[in-house]
Amino acid sequence: MVNLSTEIARIKLKNPLLVASGIIGFGEEYSKLINLNVFGAITTKTVTLKPRAGNPSPRIVETMEGMINSIGLENPGLEIFLKEKLPFLKRKLKIPIVVSIAAENAEEFAEISRRLDKEKGISALELNLSCPNVRSKEPRAKSPPLLSCPPPRLASGDAGAGESKNGGINSEQGVISLISQDAELTYEVVKRVKKVTKLPVIAKLTPNVTDITVIAKTAESAGADALSLVNTFSALAFPHSPLTTSHSPVFGGLSGPAIKPIVLRMIYETYQKVKIPIIGMGGINSPQDAIEFFLVGAKAIALGSALFRDPFLPQKILIGLKQYLKIQKITLSKLTGSMIHE
Amino acid sequence: MLTAKLSIQNKVYHLQSLITDQKEISSGYFRLIFSAPQIAQIAQPGQFVHIYCGEGTYLRRPFSIAKVKKNQVEIIYKVVGKGTELLSRKKKGNTLDVLGPLGNGFTQSLNHPITQSPILIAGGTGVASLLFLAQKLITLYTSHLTPLTVFLGAKTKNDLLCIDNFKKLGCQVKLATEDGSLGYKGLVTDLFRNSLITHNSSLITNIYACGPYAMLKEIAKITQKYKIPYQVSLEAMMACGLGACRGCVVKTSHQSLTTSHQHFVYKTVCKDGPVFEANQIIWE
Ligand SMILES: Cc1cc2nc3c(=O)[nH]c(=O)nc-3n(C[C@H](O)[C@H](O)[C@H](O)COP(=O)(O)OP(=O)(O)OC[C@H]3O[C@@H](n4cnc5c(N)ncnc54)[C@H](O)[C@@H]3O)c2cc1C
Ligand SMILES: Cc1cc2nc3c(=O)[nH]c(=O)nc-3n(C[C@H](O)[C@H](O)[C@H](O)COP(=O)(O)O)c2cc1C
Ligand code: FES
């Protein structure tokens, strides 16, 4: 029997396949279709302190080998999450629950974390650091930038661009970057959260940076127990949705097989610079893809938008992975980064 | 009024179904029939199936259920892009990767006086879900004196689908084409509006419509004026099709209980819809 069990950020997993944030919401719908307990763990939709309505339609566009989403972090907010969503997950699941959270600044991240720390049944917090920072009234650029960022006009992934149709970040409050586009902010948020919770903390980073290893190292030095690499890529596409009469483009986050080669390169680079484990995600669509993520250094992987197409992909990936380990006569832990160790 | 929410939401099936027939019913339009007993048994008018069309598409494609017969499910679609193109190449004997039945279907009122009757209005491929609805309504309204009236609208004669199917069901069919190649020359919404001049609108119990957004919106203006209950089947780009990803939302009005304050909520077309009471929708 091939053993798929592993450990990430002190969480024991029966297998290394998670479901990425935002894919199954809070599990209610997908649990009617598939057995969620096949996963090693699930990550919830990102929860914010207050409910968020999200972005107007269209929120989805299919692109070549992928899709763009601009959901705008629609979620019921922390209170409803605790009252309705978490109890459901705890009832249904026998696997660890990772709660993804986002906030506008370090204080708010800490406030949510403090509240979740008191709850039973949560295995870890994933900080969605691909959300805009809206604390500072003055542009952050005044402090010496530790990293050069792309012009942060676009929200990354499902970062929540408020009600702005084009996904541009509201600049009223001095927003100029996503948290994980800024090493200093990343440090501050992770540090603050670590201070208020004993739960393992996973930092999920945006790929929309010049050098992701800089941010990854910063998150590690602030005490992050693991990294989730990566969120979606800022992108633009033209839908012709029947819900809109105009042909304006949709700004949002690109996911799917189209991004996989870039993500693999990012994990490959990061693996060589950090000691904390990496949960890899971005375009996993087959057992072959999954194996590649381990080869470049992922210790666990998360399934994202490919689940929309194939609800039975989790089983297929796990079977494929087992077969590979058996044929190669290698353990799962040895597989991680084996391309680099060779 | 006794109304029956006929759609049963508890079970969704993921099937590899056998295609039993595929035919081009009009140039560019196809009727695909596949074997899916689990779906056929519980499907309700207005519900849809979410189909993986094949290599080269990333997301599934939603299609209304047009008919169920014993173990068979039928869809009617137009080739508009890559997914529908791939689908049209499938043949009898091939398998089809299907998720369904999904969504909330049409609500059918059961206890109307026999002089009243609903009206169905379809634009383009919107006929699919209304054909299924017509079959259901006929069984509910067999004792009625007034036949079901169905308005079908499309660009040209070639785009007018299923006329005979509706006629066979005993429906009174009214046609409109934009180029005048068959029936009324102009928009189906105009044909419908004109009909209200001669038709006593208080005898219409319900309007059910499926078609392009602009058509549905135009009908909403008319039904609001005449105060006729109106249900619409909406479309949106979809990913999960289950209500999980929040990708397919539509703005609906919402009266807050606590603040008596009017605001909007996003509802999902895939799970809360695709059928909505039109007066809930905030038309854009
Ligand atoms: C609930 C529901 C029921 C539907 N029922 C039917 C039906 O019975 N018959 C039928 O022919 N079509 C139906 N559609 C529309 C059908 O899903 C699209 O035509 C199909 O997805 C197009 O796929 P494609 O790859 O061929 O086109 P693409 O290349 O993806 O796009 C071509 C065009 O189709 C539009 N489109 C793409 N995806 C969707 C979508 N999910 N919904 C609406 N438009 C879309 C695009 O905006 C574009 O203009 C339905 C849509 C919904 C949401
Ligand atoms: C519809 C959708 C919603 C998402 N919502 C979130 C979210 O709320 N929080 C988050 O951290 N990532 C979110 N993501 C990003 C995914 O978790 C994942 O990082 C990304 O999709 C890349 O993986 P993939 O290519 O396998 O889809 C979302 C992605 C999609 C497609
Ligand atoms: S398509 Fe995912 S919520 Fe409707």
Side-chain angles (χ1 to χ4, degrees), chain B residues 238-241 243-248 268 270:
Chain B
M238 289 181 183
C240 71
C245 74
R246 311 297 301 176
C248 63
T268 55
C270 70

Side-chain angles (χ1 to χ4, degrees), chain B residues 170-187:
Chain B
C171 302
Q172 191 183 348
V173 183
K174 302 196 170 182
L175 307 173
T177 52
E178 285 173 41
D179 69 348
S181 49
L182 193 61
Y184 172 83
K185 181 173 194 286
L187 297 173

Side-chain angles (χ1 to χ4, degrees), chain B residues 8 53 56 58 76 88 108 114 118 129 136 139 200 203 212 219 237 249 256 275:
Chain B
I8 311 159
C53 297
Y58 188 54
I76 294 164
S88 72
Q108 299 137 51
I114 53 168
S129 65
K136 269 273 147 82
T139 61
N200 182 350
L203 294 181
I219 299 169
M237 232 78 89
V249 295
S256 164
V275 177

